[in-house]
Structure formats: structure tokens, C-alpha cells
Amino acid sequence: MFKKILIANRGEIAVRVIKTCKRMGIKTVAVYSEADADSLAVEMADERVFLGGSLPAQSYLDMDKIIAAAKETGAEAIHPGFGFLSENAKFPEALKKEGIAWIGPNPHAISAMGDKLESKKLAAEAGVSTVPGFKGEIVDDQQAVEVAGDIGYPVMIKASAGGGGKGMRIAYDEKEVREGFKAARNEARSSFGDERILIEKFVEKPRHIEIQVLGDKHGNVIHLNERECSVQRRNQKVLEEAPSPFLDKKTREKMGEQAVALAKAVDYDSAGTVEFIVDPSKNFYFLEMNTRLQVEHPVTELTHGLDLVEQMIRVAAGEKLALAQSDVKIEGWAVEARLYAEDPYRGFLPSIGRLTRYIEPEEGKSGPGTLRIDSGVREGDEISMFYDPMIAKVIGQGATREKAIDALSEALDRLHVAGLQSNAPFLSAVLDEPDFRKGAIHTGYIAEHFPDGFTGTAPKESQWRAFVAAASLVHTVFVERAARIPGRITPAPQASRPHNWTVLIDGQQFPVEITVDQGLEGGFAATVWMPGLSADSLSLETAWQPGDALMEMRLGKDTVSISVEDRTEGYRLRHRGFAATARVYSPRIAELVARLPEREEADTAKLVLSPMPGLIVSVDVEVGREVKAGEALLTVEAMKMENVLRAEIDGTVKSVSVKAGDSVAADELLVEFE
């Protein structure tokens, strides 16, 4: 077995590999860029080597620097994680020449499966079902239009070397093919250094179901059943689960057999994933094979009792698989949510910055199930514009799918992110959706259920009660604490004196009577009466203290966790997909506040502001040009993804403040209309 392993990656996956190595008694070496100098992975590793600048090309994509780091530290093997060099066959070839072991599949398998054109040919030869498409490379947008017309709309335009949703577009007509081809090729070039594009039939309302395979260097290959990753946004996975709520035993076995056949065809000898799209009739088609560890691997680990990182290490060290196919069993259910630094209320645009507050719930027991969190950050860390915006992966496990979902939902309630926006409210909203609960999902689920984007969810009556009670408690505690400050004229109130408030939330007024006692050790007990929301008084118990970002409370028979922020304009509260600002006044002041005129919003209809920090890729308009609503104005790149900004109104361009190549900040003025 190896004594020292270098991890050629960063963030969450680097931390994940380090944890397994520590458990196996293997020393670790972290490599890092300028942006990651103070990262958790660097802190956890036994040794660390600086690679260079923050850009991936200056650090995590520089093979020579990584090999030099391995030789300098005496690392016997390299684990590539996912992304970066994990699917670049030239890397393991270079390592072999240096006598360094590669913890991943052989270069032939990587090359064969990494080329989407070649992989489809191999899949067909191995007897794997494939999607109808053009068998060749598309050279320009005109050929793309011709090919799409022959295949029949809709079509999928995708980078041959792509992955992670980058370099992928769906087109429903000729205009979308031309736009999508150019954008996909640009993303492919910048993300993978390979601009080859292919086009295939897009199956309507498909499910994305993948088979985890595991092979060794002795010719043994098994599969570890499936994961369903159908809930996606812009072809990027949002929620994943194992097993799939859709597959039956017969279809599962057929997909597993085909995945193993394909793996054996390329002498696969590590962990890998064969991805399929499955239509509503359970017909399945080969999509691609990822020759690396997948982001969503924890759901397979939790439902099979295996550590896939450990398996990869043991296989790379020459060990035989300890499992036969007959030993593989599915136990329980696991659902994973990808927590990203992005603003769901602004079209999921990247929200980079510093984590001024970051609270993770404890791993282990979580309501009806158990909880696992894979993260690579701590409070105070920065989510950089140079890399993927993932903060953490939150995984709920339970005996049934419902219990796993409930465990995950409750975990997201107890997770707090401040300093930047996260997609946690959106994740919670999807988990609460009736169709998701029923397992009625497909790759277009988000677009279908949130056609106008995410604006939050309508509050349930239980959420109104929780918000009003929480705001009343916080305000009462603050008022009573202020009254006890020495030198104030206001006399100290009696400990159990009732307070009458009016809570204003979203234009609605809620009268409240609350009596608060410091009756709990390190917390509060209260009695709350909310006419209109509850016929009877409710008991409230919480360990919350002023300054805490989360309030976990028991209100009557309900247990709920609410995010609480004390802001100038009121108390900002969030529970799952519902967020609101609560203002608490005496009944008389509330009457006067209700008479105040509403403040008018500034008119920004004629201004196009940058929705995120990023780089201007192209400017498609000039001063004096007339444009129509929906027409492309500029393209901004952030975190390797291109975002096309379009005109919201008809008008004439008055000014253009940027040019291609410029770096821009969030809310910076880009274009102004007359």
C-alpha cells in the first residue's frame, strides 16, 4: 500500500480524499494555488506545495508543476479528484514515465471514453444502446444547422470533451442552433482546450440515470447499481439520489450489464460512471462515460456501505476487488444536494465572496435519518471567481426515500451561509415539491416547475406562525436587554411581563402577545398568543441567544429551524424556500407605519448592469443601434460559464461602457438605452 499520496485538486474533493487517506494511515500532500493558500485542504494535509497563480492553467492544470511536487515530497501516487486533470490521459502517461502511480483508470480507457465521438462508437460495438445523432465532428454553425435539421428538433449541442454542463446547449430551431454552437464551442475551448462539437437527438423529458462501475487491474469489473441525477439546471446536476425511484429490477440489471460490458471493452480498472438517459417508457441510451470519481459518489457509498476513494486507492496499488457482483446490495436511500455560491433569486448567477458566517449542522442523526456533509470550506473562507462555486454537498440518508429527503430538508434548515448568497432556499423548495416527493422528475424538471425563475415559495400557515413567533421573541429579548442597560431611564421590566406587539411581514399585520422567561439553560421559554394564526396560546422553547444566526425552536408541537439576521430594516428570517423581513412595533406605532407612503423603486429599465463579477467575452451592440427585447447585448463569463445578457425592452443604445476582455464587478453599468 502507498505511504504517501499527492492530491492534484482543491476544495471539497481534496478534503474528501484526505479524510480517507488519514483513515487508511496514508500521508497526504496538498498542492495549492495563490487563491487557495489558506484553504481547509491545505490545513488538513500532512505536506503542502505551492503551484502558482490562481488561474487553473497556472496551477491545477500544470502537469509539470504537479509532477515536480510529487517528486519533491516523495509521493508515490497521485489522486486527481474530479475536474482539472482527472480525465486527461496525458497526465497518467507522464506519471508512468516518472514512476508515480495514478489513482484512476488506465490512459486508454480515459482517451476512449473522454472523446464523446469515439465513446459512442465503442459503446455501440459493446452492445450498449446509443442515442441517434451525427457520427462525426461539426465544423461550423452552418453544418450544425444542416445536421440538426436531419436529426430533427430538439437537438443537444455538446462539447466532445465536455462535462459538468459546460459546452452544452439544447436547441429547438435554427437560430438556437447557431447561437448554441458558438457558445458551446467557446466554452469547450476555454474549459477543456478542445473545441470539437457533436450534435445528437435530445430526448424530451428524459431521466438522467447513471451506473457506478468499479474495476481492478486483474480483469474484474462490477457495478454498484444506479444514481438518479435528473434534477438539473442548465445541464448541471442539482440533486442526486440512489437508488432511482423510477427503475424496476429488470431495467436496473440491464443497465448494469451494459455498463459493465462497456467498462470491460476498455479494460477499465478504477471507479467510473456510465451515464444514460432514460425515456418515460424506460428505454435507455448511452450518454457518456466519466472516467473519474463523480461529485455525487456519496449517495452510492451510503447505500452500499463502501468508500469509493479507498477502493480507487486499493485498485491503484494492485489489489483485487474484494467484492463480487453477487455481494452488491442496496440498503436504504440517500439524497444529495449541491450547495452552491449562487443567487437563486437572480437567475442563479454566481455569488462569489467571503463566508462571513458559515454554520454546518452536525453530521450523524438528522430527524428521521442521518446526515453527511462533504465540504472544503470554513467560516471566513472565500469562494473565488476562479473555480467552481460549490460550498458543500449535503447528503441525507434514510431507510426510505421519504426519510432521506426529510433528513436532508431538516439539515438544510440548520445550515447558515452569510456574506454571499447560496442556493439553499431553492434546494429546500425543490425538496418540498409534491412532484419531487413522488419521484416524478426529469431533466427539464426545474424549467417546468420554475418557468419564471425562482422567487421563493408561498408561506404555509405553520411558517407564518414560526416567523411571527420568532420575530416577537427576538424583539422582546432585545427590548428587555436594552431596558436593563445601566443609566437608561426605562425601568427594568418584570421577568414575566407580557408584551403586546404587531409584527409586519410582507404587508400583513399580525398582533402578538408574548411573555418571555429566561427559563431554559442558555435559552428562552415563552408563551405566545397570535390571534388569527392560532386559536390558543403556544409554548415556545429555544436555545437561541442574541447574535446567533439560527433559531432552533419548539413551537407548540412543531420543531423548526429558522435563519435569523438582525438588519436595519428589521429581522430577516428564512425557512426553506420562504424568506421575509419582519418588523416588530407596538400596536400604535404599527398603525402609523401603515399610513406611510410606499417608497418608489428607482427606474433602471434603461440600464443593463452586470449581474455578477466576471469577464466580458463579447459585446454584440454599439452606440446608436436599435435593439428588440430578447436580443443579445453582451456575454459575460464567470466561473468558466458564459452568460448572455439580453435586452429587456426595445430601445436604442445610448452608451456601451465596456469592451471584450474587460473585467467587471457586480452591478457595474454595461449598456444604457436612450
Side-chain angles (χ1 to χ4, degrees):
M1 181 50 63
F2 306 118
K3 294 180 180 178
K4 186 184 292 186
I5 290 174
L6 182 147
I7 299 122
N9 217 298
R10 63 174 299 279
E12 173 269 321
I13 186 56
V15 170
R16 165 73 186 86
V17 176
I18 289 171
K19 287 180 177 178
T20 290
C21 287
K22 284 185 180 296
R23 185 174 55 77
M24 295 177 70
I26 300 171
K27 297 286 187 183
T28 55
V29 179
V31 291
Y32 64 95
S33 70
E34 189 173 355
D36 287 333
D38 298 318
S39 68
L40 180 59
V42 169
E43 178 185 295
M44 289 178 63
D46 297 294
E47 298 177 58
R48 51 208 59 83
V49 178
F50 176 63
L51 292 179
S54 300
L55 292 172
Q58 300 168 337
S59 50
Y60 302 108
L61 290 176
D62 194 320
M63 294 184 205
D64 292 338
K65 288 182 180 178
I66 293 172
I67 291 172
K71 294 169 73 173
E72 174 191 331
T73 57
E76 303 155 273
I78 289 180
H79 195 301
F82 41 69
F84 296 130
L85 294 170
S86 63
E87 293 181 284
N88 186 330
K90 293 179 181 178
F91 193 32
E93 288 171 352
L95 293 180
K96 185 175 182 180
K97 292 177 183 178
E98 299 293 342
I100 301 170
W102 166 252
I103 304 175
N106 64 79
H108 166 66
I110 296 174
S111 296
M113 293 295 101
D115 185 327
K116 288 183 172 55
L117 297 172
E118 183 64 23
S119 67
K120 289 190 182 302
K121 294 177 185 177
L122 285 169
E125 291 171 3
V128 181
S129 303
T130 58
V131 180
F134 180 74
K135 301 203 170 21
E137 179 187 347
I138 310 298
V139 297
D140 56 30
D141 61 339
Q142 181 56 40
Q143 185 188 9
V145 168
E146 293 170 1
V147 167
D150 291 339
I151 294 173
Y153 291 103
V155 296
M156 172 74 82
I157 303 167
K158 61 199 295 189
S160 179
K166 297 179 178 67
M168 298 178 69
R169 294 291 189 278
I170 299 168
Y172 289 84
D173 55 38
E174 180 178 326
K175 180 183 177 184
E176 291 184 357
V177 168
R178 292 188 187 277
E179 285 187 359
F181 177 82
K182 293 175 182 177
R185 187 163 62 175
N186 288 341
E187 285 183 7
R189 187 188 302 115
S190 63
S191 296
F192 313 112
D194 184 344
E195 63 178 23
R196 291 178 302 156
I197 296 295
L198 59 88
I199 296 180
E200 60 191 22
K201 179 69 178 175
F202 177 66
V203 179
E204 301 257 34
K205 291 197 172 182
R207 301 176 82 115
H208 182 123
I209 300 176
E210 57 194 33
I211 303 293
Q212 174 73 58
V213 296
L214 188 61
D216 62 22
K217 298 183 184 301
H218 304 277
N220 302 304
V221 181
I222 62 172
H223 70 82
L224 303 176
N225 297 301
E226 83 281 0
R227 296 184 288 259
E228 174 141 10
C229 313
S230 296
V231 180
Q232 304 179 5
R233 190 188 65 78
R234 291 183 63 180
N235 302 309
Q236 288 188 305
K237 299 165 185 174
V238 176
L239 294 167
E240 301 105 350
E241 60 184 299
S244 165
F246 183 61
L247 292 192
D248 53 44
K249 186 174 183 290
K250 182 179 178 181
T251 308
R252 175 179 291 117
E253 288 176 351
K254 282 185 178 180
M255 292 177 71
E257 289 168 1
Q258 290 195 14
V260 169
L262 179 59
K264 286 186 174 181
V266 292
D267 298 321
Y268 204 81
D269 52 353
S270 188
T273 301
V274 181
E275 301 193 345
F276 295 91
I277 54 173
V278 185
D279 71 17
S281 299
K282 291 189 174 69
N283 298 306
F284 58 89
Y285 306 97
F286 171 73
L287 185 63
E288 63 184 353
M289 183 175 189
N290 288 308
T291 54
R292 54 170 167 80
L293 192 67
Q294 291 277 87
V295 175
E296 58 272 24
H297 73 273
V299 295
T300 295
E301 292 183 328
L302 290 173
T303 51
H304 289 78
L306 285 173
D307 182 329
L308 286 172
V309 173
E310 178 182 349
Q311 294 300 315
M312 293 177 74
I313 293 171
R314 293 191 179 283
V315 165
E319 294 185 15
K320 288 185 177 181
L321 291 181
L323 281 176
Q325 191 63 59
S326 58
D327 299 322
V328 177
K329 301 288 187 296
I330 301 173
E331 294 186 11
W333 219 285
V335 184
E336 173 181 298
R338 299 191 186 192
L339 184 71
Y340 280 118
E342 60 186 17
D343 190 345
Y345 299 99
R346 298 182 68 183
F348 298 91
L349 293 170
S351 179
I352 62 178
R354 193 165 300 282
L355 289 163
T356 56
R357 294 295 298 274
Y358 179 59
I359 301 170
E360 290 180 354
E362 289 186 18
E363 292 186 298
K365 185 66 178 174
S366 178
T370 57
L371 173 67
R372 168 174 164 178
I373 297 181
D374 286 12
S375 67
V377 297
R378 304 149 300 186
E379 187 169 287
D381 285 349
E382 183 175 1
I383 304 299
S384 168
M385 68 178 288
F386 299 105
Y387 314 116
D388 185 272
M390 181 181 288
I391 299 172
K393 299 182 305 198
V394 188
I395 309 105
Q397 179 186 22
T400 64
R401 184 172 186 266
E402 183 178 4
K403 289 181 178 179
I405 293 171
D406 286 343
L408 176 55
S409 293
E410 292 183 18
L412 289 172
D413 290 345
R414 303 196 309 277
L415 186 148
H416 182 73
V417 175
L420 47 80
Q421 298 297 320
S422 84
N423 64 338
F426 175 71
L427 296 171
S428 295
V430 175
L431 292 170
D432 275 350
E433 283 268 325
D435 280 348
F436 179 82
R437 290 269 172 171
K438 290 188 294 186
I441 55 180
H442 54 86
T443 58
Y445 181 90
I446 290 176
E448 182 180 275
H449 286 71
F450 302 91
D452 301 319
F454 180 71
T455 56
T457 57
K460 302 174 183 176
E461 188 169 326
S462 60
Q463 289 175 309
W464 279 124
R465 282 195 298 269
F467 275 35
V468 171
S472 301
L473 173 67
V474 172
H475 193 69
T476 302
V477 170
F478 284 162
V479 167
E480 293 196 350
R481 186 176 64 169
R484 295 187 179 95
I485 296 175
R488 290 184 64 93
I489 297 175
T490 308
Q494 297 296 317
S496 59
R497 181 171 68 90
H499 291 265
N500 289 296
W501 305 117
T502 298
V503 180
L504 275 59
I505 303 178
D506 287 350
Q508 297 192 54
Q509 296 192 15
F510 301 93
V512 182
E513 181 180 289
I514 182 169
T515 303
V516 179
D517 293 313
Q518 191 105 22
L520 292 177
E521 184 178 345
F524 298 94
T527 302
V528 189
W529 182 45
M530 300 171 280
L533 290 175
S534 175
D536 302 313
S537 296
L538 298 175
S539 62
L540 188 162
E541 294 182 353
T542 180
W544 175 86
Q545 288 290 301
D548 288 352
L550 287 170
M551 180 184 290
E552 296 186 45
M553 66 177 178
R554 183 168 182 81
L555 181 64
K557 296 180 180 179
D558 297 331
T559 300
V560 63
S561 298
I562 297 177
S563 173
V564 179
E565 292 182 75
D566 182 14
R567 297 183 179 178
T568 304
E569 67 273 21
Y571 306 111
R572 187 66 180 172
L573 309 173
R574 183 183 72 80
H575 177 256
R576 303 202 172 173
F578 176 47
T581 299
R583 293 176 291 163
V584 185
Y585 301 109
S586 67
R588 176 56 181 159
I589 296 297
E591 286 181 23
L592 298 175
V593 168
R595 297 179 187 178
L596 293 174
E598 289 288 331
R599 182 179 178 181
E600 292 186 8
E601 294 282 339
D603 184 9
T604 59
K606 295 184 178 181
L607 305 179
V608 178
L609 308 178
S610 179
M612 76 204 93
L615 183 74
I616 300 295
V617 176
S618 64
V619 178
D620 302 313
V621 295
E622 63 280 336
V623 174
R625 177 171 166 179
E626 292 186 1
V627 297
K628 299 292 185 182
E631 190 172 339
L633 302 175
L634 314 97
T635 301
V636 182
E637 180 186 304
M639 295 175 173
K640 299 182 181 179
M641 294 293 287
E642 292 193 358
N643 301 273
V644 178
L645 305 187
R646 302 180 183 277
E648 295 185 1
I649 59 172
D650 295 349
T652 302
V653 177
K654 179 181 179 181
S655 67
V656 179
S657 306
V658 293
K659 62 183 183 303
D662 287 352
S663 293
V664 294
D667 296 322
E668 182 174 332
L669 177 63
L670 306 178
V671 176
E672 183 177 4
F673 291 105
E674 292 181 353

